[in-house]
Amino acid sequence: STTASAGPPAHSVLIKNLAFDATESDVKGALEGCGEVESVHIRVNKSGRSRGMATAVFATAAGLEAALALDGTLMLFERALTLTTQGAAQDLAKQAEAEAKPAKPPTTYEPKWPMHPTTVFVSGLGPEETDEALRARFDPSCGKVHVARLLRDKKTGGSKGSGLVQFETEEAKDAALATSAEPGSDG
């Protein structure tokens, strides 16, 4: 939690019953007869749509009092607005805290075992297959295998019937792919 050194503005009012399409300039225009409005903040939900509420900050206490006197009688888009000081300071404090938080960096997917140009996907493996047996299918007949891993079910730990084999060279990978394309091959 962050603490503001100056605290929330003393002359703030919470406005309720706003039309969802009301803008900050619409609210400022409706309040202009009360006194100088320093700022208006429309509350929005996570998708950015108005929640039908706003907070306005007046330059003076007289402006705030004039606005509060219009509670229930100030009209905007044919709606009677409710004006109160209750919750206005908290709304502005939440807004300031949200603006002070650093933006979350975009998330990127980092696989635990990244694909490599010499990696091939192997399917049609039996449930009894092991990493060692998968390696033995290709090493040394096709070339040197760097690593061979079965894809496993997270809950049971059993083989999913497929795996990844990373070869030391492009030639070994090409030999493995040629072998699997031959009629009668089981790989």
Side-chain angles (χ1 to χ4, degrees):
S1 78
T2 48
T3 28
S5 56
H11 312 300
S12 56
V13 62
L14 181 64
I15 305 161
K16 298 179 182 178
N17 199 35
L18 278 177
F20 292 124
D21 57 348
T23 65
E24 292 175 357
S25 61
D26 293 330
V27 175
K28 203 169 192 175
L31 296 171
E32 69 184 352
C34 300
E36 181 187 346
V37 179
E38 291 181 344
S39 66
V40 174
H41 167 68
I42 294 183
R43 288 187 184 184
V44 294
N45 62 19
K46 289 181 182 178
S47 65
R49 188 170 186 262
S50 170
R51 293 179 57 205
M53 295 183 278
T55 305
V57 178
F58 287 90
T60 64
L64 173 63
E65 293 304 319
L68 291 173
L70 296 175
D71 179 35
T73 61
L74 183 63
M75 301 293 286
L76 182 62
F77 297 137
E78 299 180 10
R79 297 175 74 130
L81 302 181
T82 302
L83 294 98
T84 179
T85 56
Q86 188 173 9
Q90 293 88 338
D91 181 51
L92 290 170
K94 282 182 187 177
Q95 175 193 357
E97 186 174 320
E99 289 173 357
K101 286 183 182 177
K104 290 183 180 179
T107 57
T108 57
Y109 173 72
E110 292 291 331
K112 292 180 182 177
W113 197 60
M115 292 297 285
H116 187 273
T118 61
T119 301
V120 295
F121 176 80
V122 182
S123 62
L125 304 174
E128 71 289 337
E129 192 84 28
T130 64
D131 289 345
E132 294 77 23
L134 179 59
R135 174 187 287 269
R137 284 176 175 251
F138 300 99
D139 191 351
S141 61
C142 295
K144 182 99 172 114
V145 172
H146 178 68
V147 67
R149 289 203 184 141
L150 290 175
L151 300 179
R152 300 188 178 276
D153 184 280
K154 287 182 182 180
K155 291 182 182 176
T156 67
S159 171
K160 289 185 172 182
S162 56
L164 297 169
V165 179
Q166 181 181 347
F167 293 92
E168 294 279 332
T169 64
E170 286 279 336
E171 293 78 20
K173 177 194 79 167
D174 293 340
L177 291 173
T179 303
S180 68
E182 293 173 1
S185 70
D186 62 352

